[in-house]
PDB file of all heavy atoms in Angstrom:
ATOM      1  N   LYS A 353      32.386  83.975   8.400  1.00 97.00           N
ATOM      2  CA  LYS A 353      30.958  83.966   8.057  1.00 97.00           C
ATOM      3  C   LYS A 353      30.030  83.777   9.255  1.00 97.00           C
ATOM      4  O   LYS A 353      28.826  83.637   9.073  1.00 97.00           O
ATOM      5  CB  LYS A 353      30.685  82.834   7.052  1.00 97.00           C
ATOM      6  CG  LYS A 353      31.308  83.108   5.688  1.00 97.00           C
ATOM      7  CD  LYS A 353      30.932  82.068   4.662  1.00 97.00           C
ATOM      8  CE  LYS A 353      31.516  82.451   3.304  1.00 97.00           C
ATOM      9  NZ  LYS A 353      31.260  81.447   2.292  1.00 97.00           N
ATOM     10  N   VAL A 354      30.601  83.716  10.474  1.00 98.00           N
ATOM     11  CA  VAL A 354      29.766  83.356  11.624  1.00 98.00           C
ATOM     12  C   VAL A 354      29.416  84.566  12.487  1.00 98.00           C
ATOM     13  O   VAL A 354      30.287  85.347  12.856  1.00 98.00           O
ATOM     14  CB  VAL A 354      30.466  82.296  12.509  1.00 98.00           C
ATOM     15  CG1 VAL A 354      29.540  81.840  13.633  1.00 98.00           C
ATOM     16  CG2 VAL A 354      30.915  81.106  11.684  1.00 98.00           C
ATOM     17  N   ILE A 355      28.122  84.674  12.792  1.00 98.00           N
ATOM     18  CA  ILE A 355      27.634  85.689  13.734  1.00 98.00           C
ATOM     19  C   ILE A 355      26.928  84.906  14.843  1.00 98.00           C
ATOM     20  O   ILE A 355      26.149  83.993  14.542  1.00 98.00           O
ATOM     21  CB  ILE A 355      26.544  86.566  13.057  1.00 98.00           C
ATOM     22  CG1 ILE A 355      27.105  87.319  11.869  1.00 98.00           C
ATOM     23  CG2 ILE A 355      25.848  87.488  14.037  1.00 98.00           C
ATOM     24  CD1 ILE A 355      27.883  88.539  12.225  1.00 98.00           C
ATOM     25  N   THR A 356      27.192  85.267  16.096  1.00 98.00           N
ATOM     26  CA  THR A 356      26.500  84.585  17.202  1.00 98.00           C
ATOM     27  C   THR A 356      25.514  85.551  17.831  1.00 98.00           C
ATOM     28  O   THR A 356      25.843  86.716  18.060  1.00 98.00           O
ATOM     29  CB  THR A 356      27.514  84.112  18.268  1.00 98.00           C
ATOM     30  OG1 THR A 356      28.437  83.227  17.638  1.00 98.00           O
ATOM     31  CG2 THR A 356      26.825  83.382  19.403  1.00 98.00           C
ATOM     32  N   ILE A 357      24.298  85.056  18.062  1.00 98.00           N
ATOM     33  CA  ILE A 357      23.344  85.913  18.769  1.00 98.00           C
ATOM     34  C   ILE A 357      22.807  85.183  20.000  1.00 98.00           C
ATOM     35  O   ILE A 357      22.830  83.949  20.064  1.00 98.00           O
ATOM     36  CB  ILE A 357      22.172  86.393  17.863  1.00 98.00           C
ATOM     37  CG1 ILE A 357      21.252  85.254  17.491  1.00 98.00           C
ATOM     38  CG2 ILE A 357      22.643  87.134  16.639  1.00 98.00           C
ATOM     39  CD1 ILE A 357      19.905  85.758  17.025  1.00 98.00           C
ATOM     40  N   ASN A 358      22.327  85.966  20.949  1.00 97.00           N
ATOM     41  CA  ASN A 358      21.775  85.391  22.171  1.00 97.00           C
ATOM     42  C   ASN A 358      20.460  84.675  21.845  1.00 97.00           C
ATOM     43  O   ASN A 358      19.525  85.292  21.340  1.00 97.00           O
ATOM     44  CB  ASN A 358      21.544  86.545  23.169  1.00 97.00           C
ATOM     45  CG  ASN A 358      21.003  86.048  24.489  1.00 97.00           C
ATOM     46  OD1 ASN A 358      20.818  84.840  24.693  1.00 97.00           O
ATOM     47  ND2 ASN A 358      20.748  86.982  25.387  1.00 97.00           N
ATOM     48  N   GLY A 359      20.412  83.384  22.125  1.00 97.00           N
ATOM     49  CA  GLY A 359      19.207  82.598  21.816  1.00 97.00           C
ATOM     50  C   GLY A 359      18.240  82.528  22.981  1.00 97.00           C
ATOM     51  O   GLY A 359      17.288  81.745  22.948  1.00 97.00           O
ATOM     52  N   GLN A 360      18.473  83.344  24.015  1.00 96.00           N
ATOM     53  CA  GLN A 360      17.532  83.396  25.133  1.00 96.00           C
ATOM     54  C   GLN A 360      16.764  84.703  25.058  1.00 96.00           C
ATOM     55  O   GLN A 360      17.339  85.737  24.715  1.00 96.00           O
ATOM     56  CB  GLN A 360      18.272  83.338  26.460  1.00 96.00           C
ATOM     57  CG  GLN A 360      18.667  81.934  26.849  1.00 96.00           C
ATOM     58  CD  GLN A 360      19.230  81.906  28.258  1.00 96.00           C
ATOM     59  OE1 GLN A 360      20.251  82.530  28.522  1.00 96.00           O
ATOM     60  NE2 GLN A 360      18.573  81.212  29.152  1.00 96.00           N
ATOM     61  N   GLY A 361      15.488  84.640  25.414  1.00 95.00           N
ATOM     62  CA  GLY A 361      14.642  85.824  25.308  1.00 95.00           C
ATOM     63  C   GLY A 361      13.345  85.390  24.657  1.00 95.00           C
ATOM     64  O   GLY A 361      13.131  84.194  24.440  1.00 95.00           O
ATOM     65  N   SER A 362      12.504  86.359  24.304  1.00 96.00           N
ATOM     66  CA  SER A 362      11.233  85.966  23.692  1.00 96.00           C
ATOM     67  C   SER A 362      11.470  85.587  22.229  1.00 96.00           C
ATOM     68  O   SER A 362      12.481  85.976  21.621  1.00 96.00           O
ATOM     69  CB  SER A 362      10.222  87.116  23.786  1.00 96.00           C
ATOM     70  OG  SER A 362      10.601  88.132  22.887  1.00 96.00           O
ATOM     71  N   ILE A 363      10.541  84.835  21.688  1.00 97.00           N
ATOM     72  CA  ILE A 363      10.638  84.433  20.273  1.00 97.00           C
ATOM     73  C   ILE A 363      10.721  85.688  19.403  1.00 97.00           C
ATOM     74  O   ILE A 363      11.506  85.747  18.454  1.00 97.00           O
ATOM     75  CB  ILE A 363       9.431  83.540  19.891  1.00 97.00           C
ATOM     76  CG1 ILE A 363       9.542  82.189  20.621  1.00 97.00           C
ATOM     77  CG2 ILE A 363       9.368  83.317  18.386  1.00 97.00           C
ATOM     78  CD1 ILE A 363       8.365  81.241  20.412  1.00 97.00           C
ATOM     79  N   ASP A 364       9.952  86.710  19.757  1.00 98.00           N
ATOM     80  CA  ASP A 364       9.953  87.961  18.976  1.00 98.00           C
ATOM     81  C   ASP A 364      11.311  88.667  19.038  1.00 98.00           C
ATOM     82  O   ASP A 364      11.792  89.182  18.033  1.00 98.00           O
ATOM     83  CB  ASP A 364       8.878  88.928  19.493  1.00 98.00           C
ATOM     84  CG  ASP A 364       7.481  88.504  19.039  1.00 98.00           C
ATOM     85  OD1 ASP A 364       7.382  87.673  18.118  1.00 98.00           O
ATOM     86  OD2 ASP A 364       6.497  89.000  19.627  1.00 98.00           O
ATOM     87  N   GLU A 365      11.889  88.687  20.233  1.00 98.00           N
ATOM     88  CA  GLU A 365      13.192  89.366  20.381  1.00 98.00           C
ATOM     89  C   GLU A 365      14.261  88.670  19.548  1.00 98.00           C
ATOM     90  O   GLU A 365      15.072  89.312  18.869  1.00 98.00           O
ATOM     91  CB  GLU A 365      13.646  89.350  21.851  1.00 98.00           C
ATOM     92  CG  GLU A 365      12.972  90.389  22.716  1.00 98.00           C
ATOM     93  CD  GLU A 365      13.139  90.102  24.216  1.00 98.00           C
ATOM     94  OE1 GLU A 365      13.672  89.019  24.600  1.00 98.00           O
ATOM     95  OE2 GLU A 365      12.718  90.948  24.995  1.00 98.00           O
ATOM     96  N   ILE A 366      14.262  87.349  19.618  1.00 98.00           N
ATOM     97  CA  ILE A 366      15.297  86.598  18.885  1.00 98.00           C
ATOM     98  C   ILE A 366      15.068  86.754  17.379  1.00 98.00           C
ATOM     99  O   ILE A 366      16.017  86.935  16.608  1.00 98.00           O
ATOM    100  CB  ILE A 366      15.299  85.119  19.332  1.00 98.00           C
ATOM    101  CG1 ILE A 366      15.608  85.054  20.833  1.00 98.00           C
ATOM    102  CG2 ILE A 366      16.300  84.301  18.534  1.00 98.00           C
ATOM    103  CD1 ILE A 366      15.279  83.743  21.495  1.00 98.00           C
ATOM    104  N   PHE A 367      13.806  86.728  16.986  1.00 98.00           N
ATOM    105  CA  PHE A 367      13.484  86.912  15.561  1.00 98.00           C
ATOM    106  C   PHE A 367      13.949  88.292  15.079  1.00 98.00           C
ATOM    107  O   PHE A 367      14.501  88.422  13.974  1.00 98.00           O
ATOM    108  CB  PHE A 367      11.976  86.746  15.347  1.00 98.00           C
ATOM    109  CG  PHE A 367      11.554  86.898  13.916  1.00 98.00           C
ATOM    110  CD1 PHE A 367      11.992  86.006  12.948  1.00 98.00           C
ATOM    111  CD2 PHE A 367      10.727  87.941  13.526  1.00 98.00           C
ATOM    112  CE1 PHE A 367      11.610  86.149  11.619  1.00 98.00           C
ATOM    113  CE2 PHE A 367      10.338  88.089  12.202  1.00 98.00           C
ATOM    114  CZ  PHE A 367      10.788  87.191  11.247  1.00 98.00           C
ATOM    115  N   ALA A 368      13.758  89.301  15.921  1.00 98.00           N
ATOM    116  CA  ALA A 368      14.186  90.662  15.535  1.00 98.00           C
ATOM    117  C   ALA A 368      15.709  90.707  15.365  1.00 98.00           C
ATOM    118  O   ALA A 368      16.221  91.303  14.406  1.00 98.00           O
ATOM    119  CB  ALA A 368      13.731  91.673  16.591  1.00 98.00           C
ATOM    120  N   ALA A 369      16.425  90.042  16.278  1.00 98.00           N
ATOM    121  CA  ALA A 369      17.896  90.039  16.188  1.00 98.00           C
ATOM    122  C   ALA A 369      18.349  89.296  14.925  1.00 98.00           C
ATOM    123  O   ALA A 369      19.274  89.743  14.226  1.00 98.00           O
ATOM    124  CB  ALA A 369      18.490  89.380  17.431  1.00 98.00           C
ATOM    125  N   LEU A 370      17.687  88.198  14.611  1.00 98.00           N
ATOM    126  CA  LEU A 370      18.038  87.434  13.397  1.00 98.00           C
ATOM    127  C   LEU A 370      17.769  88.260  12.146  1.00 98.00           C
ATOM    128  O   LEU A 370      18.599  88.319  11.227  1.00 98.00           O
ATOM    129  CB  LEU A 370      17.193  86.140  13.325  1.00 98.00           C
ATOM    130  CG  LEU A 370      17.586  85.005  14.271  1.00 98.00           C
ATOM    131  CD1 LEU A 370      16.494  83.942  14.304  1.00 98.00           C
ATOM    132  CD2 LEU A 370      18.903  84.380  13.834  1.00 98.00           C
ATOM    133  N   SER A 371      16.607  88.903  12.119  1.00 98.00           N
ATOM    134  CA  SER A 371      16.234  89.698  10.942  1.00 98.00           C
ATOM    135  C   SER A 371      17.231  90.822  10.712  1.00 98.00           C
ATOM    136  O   SER A 371      17.603  91.123   9.575  1.00 98.00           O
ATOM    137  CB  SER A 371      14.838  90.306  11.120  1.00 98.00           C
ATOM    138  OG  SER A 371      13.879  89.287  11.253  1.00 98.00           O
TER     139      SER A 371
END
Side-chain angles (χ1 to χ4, degrees):
K353 291 186 176 176
V354 185
I355 298 281
T356 301
I357 69 161
N358 181 2
Q360 279 188 298
S362 72
I363 292 176
D364 284 345
E365 281 164 353
I366 299 164
F367 181 64
L370 285 167
S371 298

